[in-house]
Amino acid sequence: MSVGFLVDCFYYEVGQPDFLHSFFSSVSYNLEKNGWGSRFPKLLKQLYHDRLPYTDVPLAIEEVRVIQEELSKLSPDKVIWDIEDLTKLPPWGTDISPMVTNLENYFATPGGETFTELLLTALSVAEVERQDLVIKKL
């Protein structure tokens, strides 16, 4: 089963559901000292739990840009696989590619771009098409 971002009929594949959860877990744990969605409510409260209305896309884009910048300053060992169980590790453990140099580029999608690049693409399409963005399992 794969998961991705859906905008109308456009689907952007992220990968496995636990990988998507790891991205959001890593963001919240490392960048939101006051809990899930406290700094990035459009992404972690709206998009992750339901849908992001297209009217909120500009604010969500700003959130992604901040996340990109801040994750790029953190080492890959700061990855959080599951914020509900901090003892869980990625299936590959610490065996990662030497090309992974920070937490931002740790999250690469099946298409080869980073999670945040893919999300920005989906957000741009949502804005142009004036369509909500949802997370969809296939």
Side-chain angles (χ1 to χ4, degrees):
M1 175 187 334
S2 183
V3 66
F5 302 114
L6 182 66
V7 179
D8 194 24
C9 63
F10 302 100
Y11 183 74
Y12 303 91
E13 184 181 7
V14 170
Q16 296 299 313
D18 54 350
F19 191 65
L20 176 121
H21 181 65
S22 177
F23 173 81
F24 286 104
S25 291
S26 294
V27 167
S28 183
Y29 186 85
N30 288 293
L31 306 180
E32 296 186 309
K33 299 307 175 203
N34 293 318
W36 191 277
S38 59
R39 280 188 71 199
F40 308 109
K42 299 302 175 195
L43 298 175
L44 278 81
K45 286 189 175 178
Q46 287 182 276
L47 176 61
Y48 187 81
H49 290 294
D50 184 28
R51 71 178 43 245
L52 180 72
Y54 73 89
T55 54
D56 288 335
V57 165
L59 294 173
I61 289 172
E62 289 178 28
E63 289 182 5
V64 173
R65 299 240 186 257
V66 171
I67 289 168
Q68 277 181 314
E69 180 181 335
E70 293 186 18
L71 288 183
S72 71
K73 296 175 184 173
L74 298 175
S75 62
D77 66 340
K78 298 292 186 191
V79 69
I80 301 297
W81 195 246
D82 184 346
I83 201 165
E84 286 92 25
D85 183 354
L86 298 176
T87 64
K88 285 187 179 177
L89 297 175
W92 47 85
T94 58
D95 185 23
I96 59 173
S97 167
M99 294 178 68
V100 176
T101 58
N102 59 58
L103 201 52
E104 203 280 323
N105 69 16
Y106 182 96
F107 294 97
T109 66
E113 63 258 290
T114 66
F115 186 98
T116 55
E117 290 169 336
L118 183 72
L119 180 53
L120 285 171
T121 298
L123 287 166
S124 295
V125 171
E127 187 171 40
V128 168
E129 297 293 324
R130 301 176 60 88
Q131 296 290 321
D132 295 351
L133 178 67
V134 297
I135 295 171
K136 178 79 173 165
K137 290 181 185 178
L138 289 184

